[in-house]
Every structure is written in C-alpha cells, then in structure tokens.
Amino acid sequence: MTNARAHEKYDALIQRCEGLSPLRTAVAHPCDETSLRGALAAAKALLIAPILVGPGAKISALAAAQGLDLSGLKLIDVPHSHAAAAAAVELVRKGEADAIMKGSLHTDELMAEVVNKQTGIRTERRVSHVFIMDAPNYPKPLFITDAAINIFPGLDDKKDIVQNAIDLAIALGIPRPKVAILSAAETVNSKIPSTVDAAALCKMAERGQITGGVLDGPLALDNAISREAALAKNIKSEVAGDADILIAPDLEAGNILAKELTFLAGADAAGIVLGARVPIILTSRADTLRTRMASCAVAALYAAARRAALAAKLGG
C-alpha cells in the first residue's frame, strides 16, 4: 500500500535548497549506474555541482551506455577507487570542493583518506554519521546516529556524536532539537554501560559541554518516540515521546534500527558524515534516487548554515 505521506519530509528539505548555489561536490568513483545517475540528478536539481573523480574512460563509457549526458561536467581522471578517494579529499584541501559524495567504492576506503592524519580533512571533532529518516508514521524527520562510522564509541566520542547531530538538526531548521539517548531501559543501571553514558551526556549538556539541544536519557526506544509509552512509565520530559534525534549506544544498534525502519516501516534514510572540514554524502547501493537527492540537500543546507555562521562570526 502506498503511503500518501511518502517523501514529504525530503521534499521539504529539497525545496529549502531553492536559492542556494549548487554545492561543489567531489564525487568519488561514480563507476556504477546508481551513483552516476544520482549525482547527475542532484546536479539537474541544482543541489550540487559535481566534480566526477575516477577512471575517465570507464565513467564515460558508463554514461554512454546508460544515455547519461556528462557535457559541461568536470571529470578528473584517476586510475582506480583508492586514487579517486585521495583525489576527492585533495580537492577539499585545495579549496576546490565543498563536499564529498561517495560513489561505487567502499565506505572504509573513502573514510581512510578523510581521516588520514597527514593528508586528510579531520577537525578536532570526532567524525560521525547521521541518518535523516523520513518515516511515514513519525510526524517529523528522525535523526539516528551513529550507524556507520563509530563501532563502539566511548563517552568522549558520544559527546561529539551528539554535538554533530544537534548542529545538523539546527542547520536543517530545528532550533532546539530534542535528543534521546537510547538504551534498553529508562533507568541508570551500572550493568548496562549505555545507561551510565546516557546519564553522563545529560549532565554534560547541563554544564555546557554539549550545546544547542535538550537531552534526556537513558530512554528505551518506545519512550523516546511514543508519548503513550512515556506516560505509561510516568516519564515526563521535553524529549520523551517527541525526539528529533536518537543516539544509539553503538553502531550495531544504530544500523539495525535504521534498517528496520527502512525495510519494515517503509522509511527512507538519507545519510551524511559530519566532523570533517566538509560534509560527506554517504550513499548505499540500496538507496533510491530520492534518498540520494535528499542526502545532497542535507549536505547543501548544512554547508550553507556553516558559511552563514562563519560570516556572522567574522562580521561580529
């Protein structure tokens, strides 16, 4: 059964990009139809200005076979996927790209170049991934982190993961995002380390170590997204039942949660990596064209918000 509300949250994100200059985006190794077509569709929608980085003959042959027009696009010819990842990062370092988009190479291969201590684009902030979910039965976008980068994050890692997600939500128009720190229970239990981390993160927010959002945790998933479930357990907070952001205790939990929503609840999952000098658009072979475009829209809005913040800081 088709849900009439499908894509409405992503459509709103894409519409918010109207008036923005297309984001200069290095597309690393777009050597399959899905990644190349997605980059071209986002370019046609004026979300990105793609710079294709990969084996030139292979990309050109693929475009010809699929009837895709590459005229007017910059193509940087490198021999293989590893070289494409390195060249995409170098474009950022030289100031010639404002984002990176993953093509048909493995995430680990791209991220290894991003976080390289000598030639990468790391910052003082921990790099983390955020899914922006369009779930038909939830009334607003739902941010889930981290489901792709940090396997077993410690408390300091989680602090940055939370801050990255808050900064993204603010950039997408949520002025004071509500952050639910997930665990298997809603009470602190020393035998469940994620509940202790959740309590510590909430205290960090109280003391100004995490800013911009309102945190609560530990919260079980039902208490985070269902007011009825929260009331049944007598949990009273701004966050319970109305979360914008779900902080998973580890990568396995976050990944399973996002894929459950995608394949059982019909949600779409746009993805972006934060904490580097520029946003990194991570795509999956299972992503729809609409999801790829939504990921580009998220990156464009985030980059625009960062530029505005920097201009305001310099102007002040």
Side-chain angles (χ1 to χ4, degrees):
M1 182 174 67
T2 301
N3 192 307
R5 293 167 57 188
H7 306 312
E8 65 175 10
K9 304 177 191 72
Y10 283 178
D11 289 339
L13 287 174
I14 293 169
Q15 289 168 9
R16 285 192 58 205
C17 292
E18 292 180 5
L20 294 180
S21 298
L23 186 65
R24 298 182 303 167
T25 303
V27 186
H29 205 254
C31 292
D32 64 2
E33 179 189 357
T34 304
S35 59
L36 183 58
R37 190 179 294 277
L40 297 182
K44 185 176 181 180
L46 302 180
L47 298 171
I48 67 171
I51 305 165
L52 307 180
V53 186
K58 187 173 183 178
I59 293 172
S60 297
L62 174 64
Q66 298 298 329
L68 302 174
D69 184 9
L70 300 184
S71 58
L73 296 184
K74 185 175 183 179
L75 196 161
I76 296 177
D77 184 23
V78 296
H80 44 64
S81 59
H82 182 77
V89 169
E90 181 62 20
L91 286 171
V92 172
R93 289 175 62 88
K94 294 192 297 185
E96 297 177 14
D98 302 308
I100 295 174
M101 185 175 186
K102 174 179 171 286
S104 56
L105 75 172
H106 197 277
T107 297
D108 288 349
E109 190 172 15
L110 176 60
M111 293 309 300
E113 293 299 324
V114 169
V115 302
N116 185 293
K117 291 183 178 180
Q118 282 73 44
T119 60
I121 49 174
R122 300 173 68 149
T123 68
E124 72 284 353
R125 187 82 65 79
R126 181 79 178 183
V127 171
S128 64
H129 179 269
V130 184
F131 272 127
I132 304 91
M133 309 290 297
D134 184 346
N137 293 322
Y138 201 67
K140 54 187 177 178
L142 190 60
F143 298 67
I144 296 176
T145 187
D146 182 333
I149 300 294
N150 295 286
I151 299 174
F152 293 113
L155 180 59
D156 288 339
D157 301 328
K158 289 181 179 180
K159 171 181 171 290
D160 283 351
I161 288 169
V162 171
Q163 192 66 65
N164 284 341
I166 290 173
D167 291 350
L168 177 61
I170 292 172
L172 299 188
I174 303 171
R176 189 167 175 262
K178 300 173 182 178
V179 183
I181 316 297
L182 295 182
S183 186
E186 61 281 349
T187 54
V188 177
N189 183 336
S190 62
K191 295 179 181 178
I192 307 177
S194 60
T195 67
V196 179
D197 284 353
L201 290 166
C202 292
K203 181 56 68 174
M204 286 178 165
E206 288 181 19
R207 298 290 167 84
Q209 293 174 266
I210 298 171
T211 60
V214 53
L215 277 63
D216 194 12
L219 288 172
L221 177 62
D222 55 345
N223 304 323
I225 61 174
S226 168
R227 290 189 186 279
E228 292 77 12
L231 289 172
K233 292 194 174 182
N234 200 33
I235 299 172
K236 299 174 183 178
S237 79
E238 288 187 66
V239 176
D242 192 37
D244 297 296
I245 299 169
L246 303 178
I247 305 297
D250 56 41
L251 183 146
E252 290 174 317
N255 192 279
I256 290 169
L257 173 57
K259 288 180 178 176
E260 282 177 337
L261 288 172
T262 300
F263 291 98
L264 294 179
D268 288 320
I272 188 171
V273 170
L274 306 172
R277 293 188 197 174
V278 299
I280 300 164
I281 303 163
L282 281 192
T283 56
S284 165
R285 285 169 292 181
D287 285 348
T288 64
L289 184 60
R290 172 63 56 170
T291 298
R292 289 172 184 269
M293 291 180 65
S295 296
C296 293
V298 168
L301 290 167
Y302 180 75
R306 289 184 66 181
R307 286 195 300 270
L310 179 60
K313 183 177 181 180
L314 294 176

